[in-house]
């Protein structure tokens, strides 16, 4: 009986010792948790993903730097060539006028007349074709002559109000005057050309232009229609409308309406 009591006491002491050991371990764990809270530990997987992203960005930056480094010599060559071209253009611009008042057609006509004169001097009276050909030219331009090229000056442009002038430049306005003279000259050829020299699609316009040319206020003057405006310098946009307003204000053109056409007349210096 006493032996059983002794065995039971030993088992109870062993159980209590085990509980005490477990309690001590739990206390150590509680202390460790308080020293290093869970929120302060970084997720290692997120850190790994961030590092991989930074590595990819670093590689792309290195590639871009390598490409830029290889492109630097080419860019230097282009810059040097541009600077040389700029110097050439600057040296040429010293001798070039700000605009060219004469049209190519006028130069060609002058050269053609000079060539005919030289031909007559060299060949004599025996060439009848050379004598008859220049005689036909005055008939085409009878009563009109060449369209007026009355360019504006810088003082005239500066005299306009800033609202009317806008962003117009002297070169743009004078280039538009060249275009208008070209339109008027083309219409003059249609008016004076015989039917056999005109294509079928031009004959109707020629008849219409002849009727307009015989009306009061237009007769004997060079003109063109609003539909003739097709560039290259003068177009039917806001800039083109502003140029027409300026030229009308400065007395370079006048406008009238005949039928459904807006007729623009080129004026000559008084």
């Amino acid at each position: 009986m006493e032996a059983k009591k002794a065995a039971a006491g030993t088992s109870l002491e062993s159980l209590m010792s085990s509980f005490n050991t477990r309690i001590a371990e739990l206390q150590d764990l509680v202390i460790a948790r308080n020293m290093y809270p869970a929120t302060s530990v970084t997720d290692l997987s997120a850190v790994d993903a961030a590092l991989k992203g930074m590595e990819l960005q670093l590689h792309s930056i290195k590639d871009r730097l390598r490409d830029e480094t290889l492109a630097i010599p080419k860019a230097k060559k282009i810059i040097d060539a541009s600077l040389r071209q700029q110097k050439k253009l600057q040296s040429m611009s010293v001798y070039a006028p700000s605009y060219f008042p004469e049209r190519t057609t006028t130069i060609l006509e002058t050269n053609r007349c000079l060539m005919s004169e030289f031909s007559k001097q060299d060949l004599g009276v025996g060439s009848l074709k050379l004598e008859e050909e220049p005689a036909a030219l005055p008939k085409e331009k009878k009563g009109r002559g060449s369209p007026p090229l009355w360019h504006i000056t810088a003082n005239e442009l500066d005299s306009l109000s800033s609202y009317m002038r806008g962003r117009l430049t002297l070169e743009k306005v004078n280039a538009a005057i060249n275009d208008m003279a070209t339109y008027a000259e083309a219409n003059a050829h249609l008016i004076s050309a015989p039917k056999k020299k005109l294509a079928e699609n031009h004959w109707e316009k020629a008849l219409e232009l002849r009727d307009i040319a015989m009306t009061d206020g237009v007769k004997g003057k060079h003109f063109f229609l609003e539909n003739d405006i097709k560039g290259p310098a003068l177009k039917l946009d806001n800039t083109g409308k502003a140029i027409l307003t300026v030229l009308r204000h400065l007395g370079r053109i006048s406008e009238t309406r005949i039928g459904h056409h807006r007729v623009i007349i080129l004026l000559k210096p008084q």
Side-chain angles (χ1 to χ4, degrees), residues 140-150 180-181 183-192 208-225 228 251-256 258 263-270:
E140 294 182 359
K141 298 186 178 181
K142 185 177 180 181
R144 283 194 174 81
S146 299
L149 275 172
W150 190 10
M180 291 190 294
Y183 306 151
E185 190 172 48
N187 288 341
H189 282 301
L190 286 177
I191 293 171
S192 61
E208 196 170 21
L209 290 174
R210 290 174 185 179
D211 292 338
I212 294 174
M214 296 304 295
T215 58
D216 295 336
V218 181
K219 189 174 182 179
K221 299 178 181 178
H222 285 89
F223 67 92
F224 63 95
L225 308 180
D228 296 330
R252 293 318 196 260
I253 61 173
S254 63
E255 297 180 8
T256 183
I258 299 176
V263 183
I264 302 171
I265 304 168
L266 301 183
L267 302 179
K268 296 181 180 180
Q270 300 296 329

Side-chain angles (χ1 to χ4, degrees), residues 163-175:
Y163 175 77
M164 181 178 292
R165 184 172 64 249
R167 296 184 179 180
L168 298 179
T169 62
L170 186 67
E171 288 75 14
K172 286 183 180 179
V173 178
N174 285 330

Side-chain angles (χ1 to χ4, degrees), residues 148-206:
L149 275 172
W150 190 10
H151 294 98
I152 70 169
T153 63
N155 292 333
E156 287 178 308
L157 186 64
D158 294 338
S159 66
L160 300 174
S161 62
S162 58
Y163 175 77
M164 181 178 292
R165 184 172 64 249
R167 296 184 179 180
L168 298 179
T169 62
L170 186 67
E171 288 75 14
K172 286 183 180 179
V173 178
N174 285 330
I177 292 176
N178 291 338
D179 281 358
M180 291 190 294
T182 303
Y183 306 151
E185 190 172 48
N187 288 341
H189 282 301
L190 286 177
I191 293 171
S192 61
K195 183 178 180 180
K196 61 182 179 180
K197 292 186 178 180
L198 292 176
E200 293 183 1
N201 57 339
H202 291 161
W203 178 241
E204 291 185 3
K205 183 178 180 180

